[in-house]
Amino acid sequence: MDKEHIFFENYARNWDRDRKADARVLSSFMELAAIQPGSVILDAGCGTGVFLPYLSAAAGPDGTVEGFDYSQQMIDVAKEKFSHLANVTFTTGDVLKYHFPEKHYDVVCCLNFYPHVANHSREVIHRLYDAIVPGGMLLIMHDMPRKAVNAIHGGQPVLPPVDVLEEKLISAGFSVVAAMDTDSFYFIKVIKAADEADFVYDDEEPPVQVDTHPAHHHAHHHTETKRVLNRLSRITGHIEAIKRMIEEDRDCSDVLVQLAAVHSAIAGVSRVILKDHIDHCIVDAIQEHDTEAVENLKKAINTFVK
Ligand SMILES: C[S@@+](CC[C@H](N)C(=O)[O-])C[C@H]1O[C@@H](n2cnc3c(N)ncnc32)[C@H](O)[C@@H]1O
């Protein structure tokens, strides 16, 4: 058991005394999440189960909620409080080691949990991705502002700005539906693509240096081409999956969630291209006094922000 694990074991009996749960914020998380009745839900790092009654109510009698934590003491307290909830079960396990069933959960919640696995973010995100059904959602939530979370962790940036975490989630294959970093909470909702198409999304590959475009007057190097192509493949597959949902006459609200995810993915890929353009083409153009390229950038930005 590492130091942090021992800390949570020892703290479990006093957790609820010290934890200031803001019911309004937790309720607004439920509204933003819009969990469907009948969902199979995992509450990863559930602690003493602060969020379990909310999830239990959303899942309803046809759904299930699994409170999951590596601290046996935390799980024991959660059980004492909530074992009367018929659709709730409890598992003691380490998110970094546990063999989660594949494509099993409709919803995985991480409430105040991510910083504890931030050092293994890539592995954890992949593990959770694999455990989520196609079309299922992952929620990363904090019912306090990001600055306060990082202050609790000794000022370490364990909870990054939403766009940084979004990037990691997109790389793993999720599409972002909502990402909010406010004065009172932090909320990210991402969706796994609606079908089985497992697009290769290998961010580990070295950046590809590409070409000199003959239409440009100056030589420039895009470093993000591979990532952009991967993202576009994923978006194409996602749209194909949405077409199939329409053909199968699937629930309109499910279709809209998937469309929102595509919308956000397109905005994301546009940002990557724009940033690459500014970082490389424009820097070169300024050095070469290529005013036409700078003018073209202004036009591109105008189109992008419309
Ligand atoms: C800050 S507490 C949050 C508890 C609860 N979600 C809440 O909001 O009150 C983080 C929880 O994550 C659990 N945890 C930390 N690392 C874990 C891991 N690798 N696997 C499973 N649980 C872990 C801890 O035991 C602790 O209960």
Side-chain angles (χ1 to χ4, degrees):
M1 231 187 262
D2 65 19
K3 257 168 54 181
E4 191 169 287
H5 190 162
I6 294 168
F7 167 83
F8 281 118
E9 294 291 1
N10 291 335
Y11 202 176
R13 294 277 153 197
N14 291 322
W15 185 256
D16 288 342
R17 180 198 65 192
D18 296 344
R19 193 200 188 297
K20 307 275 179 277
D22 184 335
R24 268 180 328 151
V25 174
L26 296 183
S27 300
S28 58
F29 286 164
M30 294 309 298
E31 274 175 37
L32 290 166
I35 294 171
Q36 299 289 314
S39 293
V40 176
I41 305 174
L42 177 74
D43 185 2
C46 66
T48 59
V50 172
F51 210 35
L52 290 175
Y54 295 81
L55 297 173
S56 167
D62 298 330
T64 58
V65 184
E66 183 178 347
F68 185 100
D69 204 289
Y70 70 178
S71 160
Q72 187 59 53
Q73 288 295 321
M74 287 283 191
I75 288 288
D76 287 347
V77 175
K79 270 187 189 164
E80 285 162 25
K81 288 161 61 187
F82 297 120
S83 52
H84 63 279
L85 297 173
N87 59 357
V88 176
T89 61
F90 302 89
T91 305
T92 307
D94 186 335
V95 166
L96 288 162
K97 297 182 187 147
Y98 190 74
H99 292 290
F100 291 109
E102 262 188 44
K103 295 176 186 163
H104 180 70
Y105 301 102
D106 298 303
V107 182
V108 171
C109 295
C110 299
L111 177 63
N112 303 314
F113 171 66
Y114 178 82
H116 302 287
V117 287
N119 285 340
H120 307 275
S121 59
R122 192 180 156 82
E123 189 189 341
V124 169
I125 290 169
H126 276 281
R127 283 178 144 265
L128 296 180
Y129 182 89
D130 288 344
I132 293 173
V133 296
M137 74 171 95
L138 172 66
L139 301 165
I140 296 184
M141 302 166 286
H142 287 265
D143 56 340
M144 60 174 82
R146 184 166 64 85
K147 269 191 187 158
V149 174
N150 289 335
I152 290 172
H153 290 264
Q156 297 297 313
V158 284
L159 187 61
V162 279
D163 56 332
V164 174
L165 191 44
E166 271 181 79
E167 200 55 53
K168 291 181 189 234
L169 294 161
I170 291 167
S171 297
F174 288 107
S175 302
V176 180
V177 176
M180 300 165 168
D181 187 354
T182 77
D183 288 344
S184 50
F185 66 83
Y186 183 99
F187 178 90
I188 297 184
K189 170 174 167 177
V190 290
I191 302 281
K192 178 170 171 172
D195 90 336
E196 298 294 303
D198 277 331
F199 309 112
V200 181
Y201 224 86
D202 192 353
D203 260 16
E204 294 297 281
E205 286 200 17
V208 182
Q209 296 284 331
V210 185
D211 78 48
T212 302
H213 195 294
H216 288 216
H217 298 299
H218 59 280
H220 62 267
H221 304 287
H222 297 123
T223 57
E224 300 294 337
T225 303
K226 175 82 178 167
R227 269 173 78 207
V228 166
L229 289 175
N230 282 341
R231 281 177 181 230
L232 288 174
S233 302
R234 185 168 287 284
I235 290 168
T236 311
H238 206 151
I239 291 172
E240 286 299 325
I242 296 172
K243 273 170 69 185
R244 280 195 293 280
M245 289 174 82
I246 303 277
E247 282 160 10
E248 290 162 10
D249 201 20
R250 296 269 292 275
D251 193 276
C252 289
S253 57
D254 290 348
V255 173
L256 287 171
V257 166
Q258 296 299 332
L259 280 171
V262 167
H263 196 261
S264 153
I266 291 172
V269 80
S270 310
R271 280 197 298 269
V272 173
I273 292 172
L274 193 58
K275 185 172 179 306
D276 207 21
H277 189 50
I278 291 170
D279 286 352
H280 301 283
C281 315
I282 294 304
V283 170
D284 291 351
I286 289 169
Q287 279 167 0
E288 292 162 19
H289 305 291
D290 182 348
T291 48
E292 191 191 331
V294 177
E295 280 308 313
N296 284 342
L297 172 69
K298 281 189 199 159
K299 281 187 205 151
I301 291 175
N302 277 339
T303 312
F304 181 58
V305 297
K306 255 183 200 160

